[in-house]
Amino acid sequence: MDFHLTDDQEALRKGTRAILAGRFSPREAMDAPGRLDRDLWRALGDAGFFALALDEAAGGVGLGLPEAVLAFEEAGRALLPGPAVATFLAAGRVPGAAEGTAVVTAVDGVLVPWLAEADTVRGDAAEAVPLRSVDPLTPLHRVPGAGRRASAEAVLLTAAEQLGSAGRTCEMAVKYAREREQFGRPIGAFQAVKHLCAQMLVRTETARAAVYAAALTRDETETAGAKLLADDAATRNAGDCLQVHGGMGFTWEAEVHLHLKRAWVRAELGRTAAEAEETLAEAL
Amino acid sequence: MDLTYTAEEEEFRAHLTEWLARTLPGLPPRPDPLDWPGRRVYDTGWQRRLYDAGYAGLHWPVDAGGRGATPTQHLIFLEETEKAGAPYVGANFVGLLHAGPTIASEGTPEQRARWLPPVLKGEAVWCQGFSEPGAGSDLASLRTRAWRDGDDYVVSGSKVWTSHAEVADWCELLVRTRPVSEAVPKHRGITWLAMPMDAPGVTVRPLRTLAGSTEFAEVFLDEVRVPVSHRVGAENDGWRVTMVTLSHERGAAFVGEVVACRRVLGDLAREARANGRWGDAVLRRRLGRLSAEFTALWRLTQWNVSEAQRSGGVPGAGGSVFKLRYSHARQELYDAAAEVLGAGALDLGHEWTMDRLSSLSYTIAAGTSQIQRNIVAERILGLPKGR
Ligand SMILES: Cc1cc2nc3c(=O)[nH]c(=O)nc-3n(C[C@H](O)[C@H](O)[C@H](O)COP(=O)(O)OP(=O)(O)OC[C@H]3O[C@@H](n4cnc5c(N)ncnc54)[C@H](O)[C@@H]3O)c2cc1C
C-alpha cells in the first residue's frame, strides 16, 4: 500500500496546473460571462485533458480515474469554467469531445450548466428554462420533474473539483493572513484567524483522503461520502476564506466569491448532501 | 496512489488473523473497569501472549527488541486485532507507545536493555508524568524540581492527570534541572527521567473522572531519589526528548479506535432500525454523514501511514490534522448514539453511555484541540507564532 502520489501523478498534477495557469484567468473570463472560451477548450483538448482516461487505442492518454481526479482537482482550483466533467465523460462517445472541439454538457439532477454554449446535451433538456445563475461563470438551466441522476464518475470528478477549490481557498486565506497587518502584526498571528485556517486545512485533507480513495475503490457509497465531504470542505472553506479577507472578501473584485458560488453550484450537482447522506445511511 | 496490499502484507495479515482466531477464545474474562489490579493483570497477560507469538513491539526497531515491521504492517496489526475484538493496549499504552519508543531512540544501550524487554513482555507498566497543576498545555512551564546529590537526582513537586499511575512500575518523568531565567528559556532546563513508582517519597492519589472511574491520578513527589543513570538524553535536553515522545503519541495511537467507531456506527443503524428511530430522516442523514466521516478518517490514516512509510517511520504533522478531526467525530458519534437511544442514553448501564462520557476527554488529552490548531497553523501552514 502506498496511498501517496507516484512521481508520474505528481508530474501530471504540476503539468495540469501549469497549463491552466498559462491559458486561463478567472478575471479575464469575467469580462465575457456566459461565453465559453473555445480556444481554451481546444487547448485543453490538445493537452489531453479530456482524453486522459480514454484508451490509447481510441486515441486517448490511457490513464485512470485517479489521474482524472488529480486533473479535475486542478480544474476546481483554477475555477475553470465550462462543462468539463460532461465533456470529459463524453470523450470517445461524442465526436470532438476528446479533442476539445466539441462542448458537451449534461442534465445533472435538475440542472443543466452551459446549455446555450454546448454542442451536445446528454439527457433531456427540451423543457429547460434559464436561471439567473448565482455563479457568474456558470450559466444554468433548470429542467422540470425529477431530473437525471449523474453517474458515479461524474459525482467523483465534481467532488475532485470541490477538493481543488477547498485547497485553493485555504491557501488564499493563509497567504492573506500572513500579509495583512492590523494592530501592528499580521492577522495570522491572531488565534481566531489562525484557527479558522487550521480548520480549513483539516477539511481539505480529510476530503482529499476521501476523494482519492473513492477514485481507487470506485465504490458507490465511498463516492457519495467523498462528494459529501468535498462539498462541505469547498463551501465552508470559501466562507472562512471570505471571513479572513474582511471587507475585501465581500467585493466582486476578490476571487473568493467565485469559489464560494461555484462550490454552491457543484454542491447541487452530482449528488446533493441529502442524496449522499441517504445513500450512506442505506449502506449502514 | 495504491490502496492494495502487497502479497507479503496479505500473508502477514493471514497469519495474524489465524493466530487471533486461535488465541482469543482462550483469554480470561475481562475485568471490571473499576478493578485496576485486575486490569493490569489482564492487559499485561495479553501483552505476554503477543510477545510469545512474536507480535510485541511490532513497529519498534529490531535493535530495541522489536520486529522492525513497516508502518503498513503495524496498521494491519492494529486493524485486525480490533476487528477480532482483541484487548486494547490498555495499561501498556505508555510503555509501548510513549516511553518505549522514546527510550528506543534516545536511550543508551544499557537503558534499552534494562527497560525495553520488560515492556515488550508485559512485565513492566509505565505511566507518563508530564502534566502538572500549573503546566498543562504550557507543558514547558513545569515546576517539579530535581537537583543533583552525588549519583542521584532529588525530585520534589507534583504531577497530575497521570493515567494508570496506580498500577505503574515506572514513570517517564519531566523535571526542571535548571531554573528559568533571562538567559535560560523555560524549555531549556527540562530533563527526562525514568522514575520507579515504588521509590520512597512517591505518593499516588487516584482522581475520579466524570465517568466515575479512577483513570488517572495525582502524583506527589517528596525528595524522591532517582539515580542519574536513569536520565534519558542529556541534562536539560528533556524538551527535545519529549518532542520525540509526543510525535509517537500522535502517530498510530487511534487506528484501532477508528475501526471500532465504524463498527459502532453499524450497530447504531441496526439499533435505530429495530427501535423505529430509523424513520426519522434527520437522524438517518446524521448517521449517513458520520459514515462518510469515519470512512474518510480511515483513509486519512492510510494516507498518514503511507507518509510515515516514505519518511522511514517518522510520524508526520498529519497526526495533528487527524487527531483534530477524529476527536470531534468521535464525540459526534456518541451524541448520535444518544439520539438513537433516546431516554436509554441516560442509563449508565449502556455501553454507549459510558463511551459517550469517555469520548469527552478526546479533545483535551494529548494536546487540546486548540493546541492542535496552533500546531497545524504554525507548523504546517506557517502562520506566525503569537499568543
Ligand atoms: C483522560 C486524560 C488522560 C490524561 N493522561 C495524562 C497522562 O497520563 N500524563 C500526563 O502527563 N498528562 C495526562 N493528561 C493531561 C493532558 O495532557 C492535559 O489535560 C492537557 O494537555 C491540557 O492541559 P490542562 O488540563 O492543564 O488544560 P489547560 O492547559 O489549562 O487548558 C484549559 C483550556 O485552555 C485552552 N488553552 C490553553 N492554552 C491555550 C493556548 N495557547 N491557545 C488556546 N487555547 C489554550 C485549552 O485548549 C483548554 O480548552 C490527561 C488528560 C486527560 C483528560
mmCIF file of all heavy atoms in Angstrom, chain A residues 56-97:
data_model
loop_
_atom_site.group_PDB
_atom_site.id
_atom_site.type_symbol
_atom_site.label_atom_id
_atom_site.label_comp_id
_atom_site.label_asym_id
_atom_site.label_seq_id
_atom_site.Cartn_x
_atom_site.Cartn_y
_atom_site.Cartn_z
ATOM 1 N N GLU A 56 -5.708 4.227 -25.105
ATOM 2 C CA GLU A 56 -4.743 4.703 -26.106
ATOM 3 C C GLU A 56 -5.159 4.285 -27.503
ATOM 4 O O GLU A 56 -4.964 5.026 -28.468
ATOM 5 C CB GLU A 56 -3.350 4.186 -25.771
ATOM 6 C CG GLU A 56 -2.708 4.979 -24.645
ATOM 7 C CD GLU A 56 -1.374 4.400 -24.212
ATOM 8 O OE1 GLU A 56 -1.361 3.468 -23.395
ATOM 9 O OE2 GLU A 56 -0.346 4.908 -24.702
ATOM 10 N N ALA A 57 -5.758 3.084 -27.588
ATOM 11 C CA ALA A 57 -6.224 2.586 -28.889
ATOM 12 C C ALA A 57 -7.257 3.530 -29.504
ATOM 13 O O ALA A 57 -7.354 3.651 -30.724
ATOM 14 C CB ALA A 57 -6.827 1.193 -28.724
ATOM 15 N N ALA A 58 -8.005 4.212 -28.652
ATOM 16 C CA ALA A 58 -9.023 5.149 -29.137
ATOM 17 C C ALA A 58 -8.474 6.566 -29.234
ATOM 18 O O ALA A 58 -9.230 7.530 -29.329
ATOM 19 C CB ALA A 58 -10.238 5.103 -28.215
ATOM 20 N N GLY A 59 -7.157 6.683 -29.142
ATOM 21 C CA GLY A 59 -6.533 7.998 -29.273
ATOM 22 C C GLY A 59 -6.424 8.751 -27.958
ATOM 23 O O GLY A 59 -6.120 9.943 -27.938
ATOM 24 N N GLY A 60 -6.662 8.056 -26.847
ATOM 25 C CA GLY A 60 -6.614 8.706 -25.543
ATOM 26 C C GLY A 60 -5.259 8.572 -24.875
ATOM 27 O O GLY A 60 -4.300 8.049 -25.460
ATOM 28 N N VAL A 61 -5.171 9.055 -23.657
ATOM 29 C CA VAL A 61 -3.919 9.016 -22.905
ATOM 30 C C VAL A 61 -3.797 7.697 -22.141
ATOM 31 O O VAL A 61 -2.710 7.263 -21.776
ATOM 32 C CB VAL A 61 -3.835 10.224 -21.942
ATOM 33 C CG1 VAL A 61 -2.477 10.294 -21.255
ATOM 34 C CG2 VAL A 61 -4.092 11.527 -22.701
ATOM 35 N N GLY A 62 -4.940 7.046 -21.876
ATOM 36 C CA GLY A 62 -4.904 5.714 -21.278
ATOM 37 C C GLY A 62 -4.652 5.683 -19.784
ATOM 38 O O GLY A 62 -4.202 4.677 -19.251
ATOM 39 N N LEU A 63 -4.916 6.787 -19.101
ATOM 40 C CA LEU A 63 -4.743 6.782 -17.641
ATOM 41 C C LEU A 63 -6.077 6.448 -16.973
ATOM 42 O O LEU A 63 -7.082 6.202 -17.632
ATOM 43 C CB LEU A 63 -4.215 8.133 -17.172
ATOM 44 C CG LEU A 63 -2.805 8.464 -17.686
ATOM 45 C CD1 LEU A 63 -2.429 9.895 -17.349
ATOM 46 C CD2 LEU A 63 -1.777 7.491 -17.100
ATOM 47 N N GLY A 64 -6.109 6.474 -15.651
ATOM 48 C CA GLY A 64 -7.302 6.010 -14.944
ATOM 49 C C GLY A 64 -8.032 7.108 -14.193
ATOM 50 O O GLY A 64 -7.725 8.297 -14.304
ATOM 51 N N LEU A 65 -8.993 6.668 -13.397
ATOM 52 C CA LEU A 65 -9.798 7.606 -12.627
ATOM 53 C C LEU A 65 -8.959 8.406 -11.608
ATOM 54 O O LEU A 65 -9.199 9.602 -11.414
ATOM 55 C CB LEU A 65 -10.940 6.843 -11.939
ATOM 56 C CG LEU A 65 -12.104 7.657 -11.401
ATOM 57 C CD1 LEU A 65 -12.708 8.569 -12.462
ATOM 58 C CD2 LEU A 65 -13.190 6.727 -10.841
ATOM 59 N N PRO A 66 -7.961 7.777 -10.947
ATOM 60 C CA PRO A 66 -7.146 8.581 -10.016
ATOM 61 C C PRO A 66 -6.477 9.770 -10.698
ATOM 62 O O PRO A 66 -6.440 10.869 -10.140
ATOM 63 C CB PRO A 66 -6.107 7.571 -9.509
ATOM 64 C CG PRO A 66 -6.762 6.239 -9.667
ATOM 65 C CD PRO A 66 -7.608 6.343 -10.899
ATOM 66 N N GLU A 67 -5.984 9.546 -11.921
ATOM 67 C CA GLU A 67 -5.337 10.651 -12.643
ATOM 68 C C GLU A 67 -6.378 11.699 -13.042
ATOM 69 O O GLU A 67 -6.119 12.903 -13.001
ATOM 70 C CB GLU A 67 -4.606 10.137 -13.884
ATOM 71 C CG GLU A 67 -3.301 9.401 -13.585
ATOM 72 C CD GLU A 67 -3.519 7.987 -13.059
ATOM 73 O OE1 GLU A 67 -4.638 7.444 -13.240
ATOM 74 O OE2 GLU A 67 -2.585 7.431 -12.456
ATOM 75 N N ALA A 68 -7.553 11.222 -13.460
ATOM 76 C CA ALA A 68 -8.618 12.163 -13.812
ATOM 77 C C ALA A 68 -8.969 13.026 -12.602
ATOM 78 O O ALA A 68 -9.190 14.239 -12.725
ATOM 79 C CB ALA A 68 -9.841 11.396 -14.296
ATOM 80 N N VAL A 69 -9.001 12.405 -11.437
ATOM 81 C CA VAL A 69 -9.318 13.139 -10.211
ATOM 82 C C VAL A 69 -8.276 14.233 -9.953
ATOM 83 O O VAL A 69 -8.616 15.365 -9.592
ATOM 84 C CB VAL A 69 -9.431 12.153 -9.021
ATOM 85 C CG1 VAL A 69 -9.157 12.846 -7.701
ATOM 86 C CG2 VAL A 69 -10.816 11.512 -9.021
ATOM 87 N N LEU A 70 -7.010 13.909 -10.189
ATOM 88 C CA LEU A 70 -5.960 14.916 -9.988
ATOM 89 C C LEU A 70 -6.132 16.085 -10.960
ATOM 90 O O LEU A 70 -5.962 17.243 -10.584
ATOM 91 C CB LEU A 70 -4.578 14.286 -10.163
ATOM 92 C CG LEU A 70 -4.197 13.243 -9.100
ATOM 93 C CD1 LEU A 70 -2.863 12.596 -9.455
ATOM 94 C CD2 LEU A 70 -4.138 13.888 -7.718
ATOM 95 N N ALA A 71 -6.482 15.765 -12.200
ATOM 96 C CA ALA A 71 -6.671 16.823 -13.198
ATOM 97 C C ALA A 71 -7.868 17.703 -12.831
ATOM 98 O O ALA A 71 -7.812 18.933 -12.936
ATOM 99 C CB ALA A 71 -6.859 16.195 -14.580
ATOM 100 N N PHE A 72 -8.949 17.086 -12.390
ATOM 101 C CA PHE A 72 -10.140 17.871 -12.043
ATOM 102 C C PHE A 72 -9.955 18.638 -10.738
ATOM 103 O O PHE A 72 -10.556 19.692 -10.544
ATOM 104 C CB PHE A 72 -11.394 16.982 -12.023
ATOM 105 C CG PHE A 72 -11.984 16.843 -13.390
ATOM 106 C CD1 PHE A 72 -11.500 15.902 -14.284
ATOM 107 C CD2 PHE A 72 -12.980 17.711 -13.820
ATOM 108 C CE1 PHE A 72 -11.999 15.803 -15.572
ATOM 109 C CE2 PHE A 72 -13.493 17.631 -15.110
ATOM 110 C CZ PHE A 72 -12.999 16.672 -15.988
ATOM 111 N N GLU A 73 -9.108 18.124 -9.877
ATOM 112 C CA GLU A 73 -8.768 18.899 -8.683
ATOM 113 C C GLU A 73 -8.122 20.218 -9.119
ATOM 114 O O GLU A 73 -8.447 21.292 -8.592
ATOM 115 C CB GLU A 73 -7.809 18.095 -7.799
ATOM 116 C CG GLU A 73 -7.426 18.804 -6.516
ATOM 117 C CD GLU A 73 -6.425 18.012 -5.676
ATOM 118 O OE1 GLU A 73 -6.278 16.789 -5.902
ATOM 119 O OE2 GLU A 73 -5.793 18.633 -4.805
ATOM 120 N N GLU A 74 -7.244 20.137 -10.106
ATOM 121 C CA GLU A 74 -6.600 21.354 -10.624
ATOM 122 C C GLU A 74 -7.618 22.273 -11.297
ATOM 123 O O GLU A 74 -7.540 23.505 -11.171
ATOM 124 C CB GLU A 74 -5.479 20.994 -11.593
ATOM 125 C CG GLU A 74 -4.274 20.331 -10.926
ATOM 126 C CD GLU A 74 -3.708 21.176 -9.791
ATOM 127 O OE1 GLU A 74 -3.610 22.415 -9.946
ATOM 128 O OE2 GLU A 74 -3.389 20.605 -8.733
ATOM 129 N N ALA A 75 -8.565 21.673 -12.027
ATOM 130 C CA ALA A 75 -9.592 22.483 -12.681
ATOM 131 C C ALA A 75 -10.408 23.247 -11.638
ATOM 132 O O ALA A 75 -10.713 24.429 -11.807
ATOM 133 C CB ALA A 75 -10.500 21.588 -13.525
ATOM 134 N N GLY A 76 -10.736 22.579 -10.543
ATOM 135 C CA GLY A 76 -11.508 23.220 -9.484
ATOM 136 C C GLY A 76 -10.722 24.329 -8.821
ATOM 137 O O GLY A 76 -11.242 25.403 -8.505
ATOM 138 N N ARG A 77 -9.458 24.069 -8.627
ATOM 139 C CA ARG A 77 -8.552 25.038 -8.037
ATOM 140 C C ARG A 77 -8.446 26.304 -8.892
ATOM 141 O O ARG A 77 -8.444 27.424 -8.390
ATOM 142 C CB ARG A 77 -7.196 24.349 -7.958
ATOM 143 C CG ARG A 77 -6.168 24.978 -7.152
ATOM 144 C CD ARG A 77 -4.842 24.277 -7.424
ATOM 145 N NE ARG A 77 -3.860 25.312 -7.415
ATOM 146 C CZ ARG A 77 -3.337 25.797 -6.295
ATOM 147 N NH1 ARG A 77 -3.634 25.266 -5.151
ATOM 148 N NH2 ARG A 77 -2.503 26.809 -6.335
ATOM 149 N N ALA A 78 -8.415 26.095 -10.219
ATOM 150 C CA ALA A 78 -8.247 27.221 -11.144
ATOM 151 C C ALA A 78 -9.573 27.909 -11.473
ATOM 152 O O ALA A 78 -9.590 28.882 -12.202
ATOM 153 C CB ALA A 78 -7.591 26.721 -12.433
ATOM 154 N N LEU A 79 -10.691 27.374 -10.972
ATOM 155 C CA LEU A 79 -12.024 27.916 -11.285
ATOM 156 C C LEU A 79 -12.355 27.788 -12.764
ATOM 157 O O LEU A 79 -13.065 28.628 -13.327
ATOM 158 C CB LEU A 79 -12.133 29.390 -10.867
ATOM 159 C CG LEU A 79 -12.435 29.673 -9.407
ATOM 160 C CD1 LEU A 79 -12.254 31.170 -9.112
ATOM 161 C CD2 LEU A 79 -13.847 29.255 -9.029
ATOM 162 N N LEU A 80 -11.824 26.762 -13.418
ATOM 163 C CA LEU A 80 -12.076 26.558 -14.839
ATOM 164 C C LEU A 80 -13.580 26.553 -15.114
ATOM 165 O O LEU A 80 -14.309 25.762 -14.553
ATOM 166 C CB LEU A 80 -11.477 25.218 -15.288
ATOM 167 C CG LEU A 80 -11.726 24.836 -16.748
ATOM 168 C CD1 LEU A 80 -10.867 25.689 -17.673
ATOM 169 C CD2 LEU A 80 -11.455 23.362 -16.987
ATOM 170 N N PRO A 81 -14.044 27.451 -16.017
ATOM 171 C CA PRO A 81 -15.476 27.438 -16.346
ATOM 172 C C PRO A 81 -15.755 26.417 -17.448
ATOM 173 O O PRO A 81 -14.844 25.972 -18.129
ATOM 174 C CB PRO A 81 -15.732 28.862 -16.848
ATOM 175 C CG PRO A 81 -14.395 29.446 -17.166
ATOM 176 C CD PRO A 81 -13.324 28.515 -16.724
ATOM 177 N N GLY A 82 -17.028 26.077 -17.605
ATOM 178 C CA GLY A 82 -17.410 25.161 -18.680
ATOM 179 C C GLY A 82 -17.784 23.790 -18.144
ATOM 180 O O GLY A 82 -17.394 23.434 -17.041
ATOM 181 N N PRO A 83 -18.534 23.032 -18.981
ATOM 182 C CA PRO A 83 -18.991 21.699 -18.548
ATOM 183 C C PRO A 83 -17.889 20.660 -18.722
ATOM 184 O O PRO A 83 -18.007 19.750 -19.537
ATOM 185 C CB PRO A 83 -20.182 21.434 -19.467
ATOM 186 C CG PRO A 83 -19.862 22.181 -20.720
ATOM 187 C CD PRO A 83 -19.041 23.381 -20.318
ATOM 188 N N ALA A 84 -16.806 20.821 -17.961
ATOM 189 C CA ALA A 84 -15.630 19.971 -18.151
ATOM 190 C C ALA A 84 -15.931 18.513 -17.808
ATOM 191 O O ALA A 84 -15.461 17.602 -18.499
ATOM 192 C CB ALA A 84 -14.462 20.490 -17.309
ATOM 193 N N VAL A 85 -16.709 18.278 -16.762
ATOM 194 C CA VAL A 85 -16.980 16.897 -16.352
ATOM 195 C C VAL A 85 -17.747 16.171 -17.455
ATOM 196 O O VAL A 85 -17.384 15.064 -17.865
ATOM 197 C CB VAL A 85 -17.761 16.859 -15.023
ATOM 198 C CG1 VAL A 85 -18.237 15.442 -14.711
ATOM 199 C CG2 VAL A 85 -16.888 17.394 -13.882
ATOM 200 N N ALA A 86 -18.802 16.819 -17.978
ATOM 201 C CA ALA A 86 -19.619 16.170 -19.021
ATOM 202 C C ALA A 86 -18.801 15.948 -20.293
ATOM 203 O O ALA A 86 -18.903 14.903 -20.935
ATOM 204 C CB ALA A 86 -20.857 17.005 -19.317
ATOM 205 N N THR A 87 -17.982 16.920 -20.656
ATOM 206 C CA THR A 87 -17.164 16.766 -21.870
ATOM 207 C C THR A 87 -16.162 15.632 -21.689
ATOM 208 O O THR A 87 -15.975 14.792 -22.575
ATOM 209 C CB THR A 87 -16.445 18.092 -22.205
ATOM 210 O OG1 THR A 87 -17.419 19.120 -22.372
ATOM 211 C CG2 THR A 87 -15.622 17.961 -23.473
ATOM 212 N N PHE A 88 -15.540 15.600 -20.521
ATOM 213 C CA PHE A 88 -14.580 14.530 -20.222
ATOM 214 C C PHE A 88 -15.240 13.160 -20.338
ATOM 215 O O PHE A 88 -14.702 12.235 -20.950
ATOM 216 C CB PHE A 88 -14.035 14.743 -18.804
ATOM 217 C CG PHE A 88 -13.084 13.678 -18.341
ATOM 218 C CD1 PHE A 88 -11.724 13.806 -18.548
ATOM 219 C CD2 PHE A 88 -13.552 12.542 -17.698
ATOM 220 C CE1 PHE A 88 -10.845 12.826 -18.124
ATOM 221 C CE2 PHE A 88 -12.684 11.556 -17.263
ATOM 222 C CZ PHE A 88 -11.323 11.696 -17.483
ATOM 223 N N LEU A 89 -16.439 13.026 -19.761
ATOM 224 C CA LEU A 89 -17.102 11.724 -19.753
ATOM 225 C C LEU A 89 -17.667 11.357 -21.129
ATOM 226 O O LEU A 89 -17.999 10.205 -21.378
ATOM 227 C CB LEU A 89 -18.204 11.690 -18.689
ATOM 228 C CG LEU A 89 -17.680 11.748 -17.242
ATOM 229 C CD1 LEU A 89 -18.826 11.828 -16.254
ATOM 230 C CD2 LEU A 89 -16.781 10.539 -16.940
ATOM 231 N N ALA A 90 -17.755 12.366 -22.015
ATOM 232 C CA ALA A 90 -18.254 12.096 -23.366
ATOM 233 C C ALA A 90 -17.126 11.719 -24.322
ATOM 234 O O ALA A 90 -17.379 11.319 -25.464
ATOM 235 C CB ALA A 90 -18.993 13.318 -23.896
ATOM 236 N N ALA A 91 -15.886 11.849 -23.861
ATOM 237 C CA ALA A 91 -14.743 11.543 -24.727
ATOM 238 C C ALA A 91 -14.854 10.100 -25.222
ATOM 239 O O ALA A 91 -15.099 9.183 -24.444
ATOM 240 C CB ALA A 91 -13.434 11.730 -23.967
ATOM 241 N N GLY A 92 -14.707 9.918 -26.525
ATOM 242 C CA GLY A 92 -14.820 8.578 -27.091
ATOM 243 C C GLY A 92 -16.249 8.225 -27.461
ATOM 244 O O GLY A 92 -16.488 7.242 -28.149
ATOM 245 N N ARG A 93 -17.207 9.000 -26.988
ATOM 246 C CA ARG A 93 -18.609 8.706 -27.312
ATOM 247 C C ARG A 93 -19.206 9.811 -28.186
ATOM 248 O O ARG A 93 -20.000 9.550 -29.063
ATOM 249 C CB ARG A 93 -19.435 8.598 -26.036
ATOM 250 C CG ARG A 93 -19.045 7.393 -25.200
ATOM 251 C CD ARG A 93 -19.947 7.304 -24.005
ATOM 252 N NE ARG A 93 -19.155 6.998 -22.816
ATOM 253 C CZ ARG A 93 -19.645 6.967 -21.599
ATOM 254 N NH1 ARG A 93 -20.910 7.265 -21.380
ATOM 255 N NH2 ARG A 93 -18.866 6.665 -20.575
ATOM 256 N N VAL A 94 -18.836 11.042 -27.869
ATOM 257 C CA VAL A 94 -19.323 12.162 -28.680
ATOM 258 C C VAL A 94 -18.132 12.685 -29.485
ATOM 259 O O VAL A 94 -17.103 13.041 -28.899
ATOM 260 C CB VAL A 94 -19.889 13.285 -27.786
ATOM 261 C CG1 VAL A 94 -20.262 14.499 -28.621
ATOM 262 C CG2 VAL A 94 -21.079 12.788 -26.977
ATOM 263 N N PRO A 95 -18.264 12.719 -30.819
ATOM 264 C CA PRO A 95 -17.144 13.178 -31.649
ATOM 265 C C PRO A 95 -16.699 14.589 -31.241
ATOM 266 O O PRO A 95 -17.543 15.457 -30.999
ATOM 267 C CB PRO A 95 -17.732 13.192 -33.069
ATOM 268 C CG PRO A 95 -18.927 12.283 -33.011
ATOM 269 C CD PRO A 95 -19.446 12.332 -31.619
ATOM 270 N N GLY A 96 -15.396 14.757 -31.124
ATOM 271 C CA GLY A 96 -14.858 16.077 -30.805
ATOM 272 C C GLY A 96 -14.694 16.329 -29.317
ATOM 273 O O GLY A 96 -13.978 17.248 -28.917
ATOM 274 N N ALA A 97 -15.322 15.512 -28.471
ATOM 275 C CA ALA A 97 -15.231 15.746 -27.030
ATOM 276 C C ALA A 97 -13.797 15.551 -26.550
ATOM 277 O O ALA A 97 -13.241 16.387 -25.829
ATOM 278 C CB ALA A 97 -16.193 14.824 -26.276
#
